[in-house]
Amino acid sequence: MQGEGAWVGRRQIFVRCAGCNLACAYCDTRHEMPSEILTEDGRALANPVGPEALLTLVDAFLKRLPGAHHSLSLTGGEPLLHAGILREILPLLRGRLPVYLETNGTLPEALSQVLPHLDHVALDIKLSTVTGEPTRWEAHAEFLRLADPVGGCVKLVVAPELAEEELARAAALAAEKAPHLPLILQPRTGGAACTASRLLRWQALAARLHPDVRVIPQTHVALGLR
Ligand code: SF4
């Protein structure tokens, strides 16, 4: 189940890609590649899963649960680290389901390699005062420009330590480069919580700069889904 962003509540088949080019302070994703994966129906499979095995798995899900899935989500880590492989398998996967990319929005050259094979892009602007990593403003700007015609959403993970000038800069950048994508403020899961009054203040601040600002927490955690 998609637990974040504008497509929250949509059931998806998740393809999780190993590795990431960032090291966000709040990251809860294993970056090393496990030697085996566990599928939703409880089967353990040797990893990495090759293209043929992946297609077989997807076909089995579609046969078992006809009509249940909205799309296939490429998630990570950072899927665009694997742009070369994705370019080969996405045409095959897209023949089965629409393709939804979840990305940290920092690798625009890799995005351009797979862009013709995507139906939705959910990208983050990673804010330094929350991630502890420098914000890649130039890369995010180019990424937003490329993603806007595809459709999707832009997410900002927010937390009490967020600097409001950074939020304002990100909202203005998203409005300028990707005006058709809603901007989602996503309170960080875990750690110190954002108060409701602070979230409302940030929503109002961002809404002065961006036409479609929403506040949506991660929901899969509450549902016991990871
Ligand atoms: S971009 Fe995502 S996967 Fe990578 S370190 Fe940050 S939170 Fe983790």
Side-chain angles (χ1 to χ4, degrees):
M1 199 75 74
Q2 177 55 247
E4 301 179 357
W7 275 261
V8 70
R10 295 284 197 179
R11 188 160 180 170
Q12 296 178 315
I13 296 175
F14 288 87
V15 178
R16 185 173 291 281
C17 305
C20 189
N21 58 322
L22 302 183
C24 305
Y26 54 81
C27 184
D28 62 356
T29 304
R30 282 174 63 184
H31 286 199
E32 73 282 6
M33 186 169 67
S35 58
E36 64 178 29
I37 61 163
L38 201 59
T39 64
E40 182 187 295
D41 51 355
R43 283 177 293 153
L45 301 174
N47 205 27
V49 175
E52 281 187 24
L54 177 59
L55 293 173
T56 302
L57 273 172
V58 169
D59 286 341
F61 271 116
L62 298 179
K63 189 173 175 193
R64 190 164 63 87
L65 300 166
H69 296 97
H70 166 264
S71 49
L72 183 140
S73 173
L74 300 169
T75 188
E78 175 47 56
L80 289 176
L81 291 179
H82 309 279
I85 299 170
L86 292 177
R87 213 171 44 209
E88 291 175 25
I89 62 167
L90 285 183
L92 302 171
L93 291 170
R94 203 179 184 205
R96 289 154 167 85
L97 280 174
V99 174
Y100 176 103
L101 172 68
E102 300 193 60
T103 170
N104 62 32
T106 61
L107 299 172
E109 285 176 22
L111 175 67
S112 64
Q113 292 181 41
V114 299
L115 208 54
H117 310 301
L118 302 177
D119 298 283
H120 312 278
V121 181
L123 72 114
D124 283 24
I125 299 177
K126 294 291 187 183
L127 303 175
S128 65
T129 50
V130 181
T131 64
E133 287 261 312
T135 302
R136 273 78 163 169
W137 292 109
E138 283 185 22
H140 282 311
E142 177 61 3
F143 203 103
L144 287 160
R145 188 187 69 77
L146 291 169
D148 188 55
V150 179
C153 64
V154 181
K155 289 183 291 170
L156 303 176
V157 175
V158 298
E161 56 269 33
L162 171 69
E164 292 191 353
E165 57 272 23
E166 198 175 25
L167 171 62
R169 183 174 174 182
L173 182 73
E176 179 195 345
K177 302 291 183 184
H180 302 101
L181 307 188
L183 181 67
I184 315 292
L185 307 188
Q186 178 178 295
R188 180 186 62 198
T189 301
C194 301
T195 61
S197 63
R198 194 175 297 203
L199 287 170
L200 290 172
R201 190 171 77 237
W202 289 343
Q203 190 275 343
L205 187 161
R208 284 200 290 272
L209 300 157
H210 192 288
D212 185 356
V213 181
R214 313 175 193 181
V215 179
I216 305 178
Q218 284 187 314
T219 60
H220 53 288
V221 179
L223 293 173
L225 301 166
R226 299 298 292 178

